[in-house]
Amino acid sequence: MQPSDTLSAYAAQINLHDFDLLVPLICEDAIFWFNDGSHTGLAQVRQAFEKTWQSFPLEAYWLEDLHWFAVGPAVAACTYSFCWKAKINGEVVAGGGRGTNVLRSGPGGWKIAHEHLSQFPQTPK
């Protein structure tokens, strides 16, 4: 299994809104940085995901324009654009931003050690 396989599985399974499916793809000591805060370890990452899924129960999430800028025998890193669409109070809303993932290879294969999602920079007026 390659790091890209792990990230592809992650992107596909995240839309099932079941964190237990993601656990095999994420390091126990993972650090996830989102706009709403930093989340360290599987328990905190789970809470962040489940809070988002409660707020956006019909959300669809996907990755675009992946760029693997470092791939070695033990660590790999990529950047990408992330997109989401959800239905809230009968209205379709959408958004996105940019992301970075760092994956680590270990006895369980490639797992996500770090994810950082942020909004796209604002264009100067």
Side-chain angles (χ1 to χ4, degrees):
M1 190 175 223
Q2 298 297 314
S4 59
D5 298 326
T6 296
L7 200 57
S8 292
Y10 174 74
Q13 292 182 11
I14 202 169
N15 286 313
L16 300 175
H17 294 197
D18 180 350
F19 194 79
D20 288 335
L21 298 174
L22 300 177
V23 168
L25 305 173
I26 301 172
C27 295
E28 287 190 33
D29 60 347
I31 301 170
F32 279 48
W33 291 350
F34 300 144
N35 286 333
D36 69 346
S38 300
H39 312 281
T40 302
L42 276 176
Q44 286 185 16
V45 174
R46 177 189 291 271
Q47 286 178 334
F49 274 75
E50 291 177 348
K51 179 181 173 188
T52 298
W53 292 333
Q54 286 176 349
S55 299
F56 303 101
L58 301 176
E59 178 196 38
Y61 178 89
W62 66 97
L63 308 179
E64 296 179 347
D65 305 321
L66 272 77
H67 173 70
W68 290 93
F69 62 90
V71 178
V75 178
C78 70
T79 59
Y80 52 87
S81 297
F82 68 90
C83 309
W84 62 269
K85 184 172 22 172
K87 196 173 216 180
I88 303 173
N89 299 325
E91 290 189 42
V92 176
V93 293
R98 57 188 180 171
T100 303
N101 277 53
V102 178
L103 290 86
R104 186 170 62 215
S105 181
W110 286 96
K111 294 186 177 189
I112 299 168
H114 176 64
E115 179 168 279
H116 184 181
L117 303 181
S118 63
Q119 298 174 343
F120 288 116
Q122 294 198 8
T123 307
K125 294 180 183 181

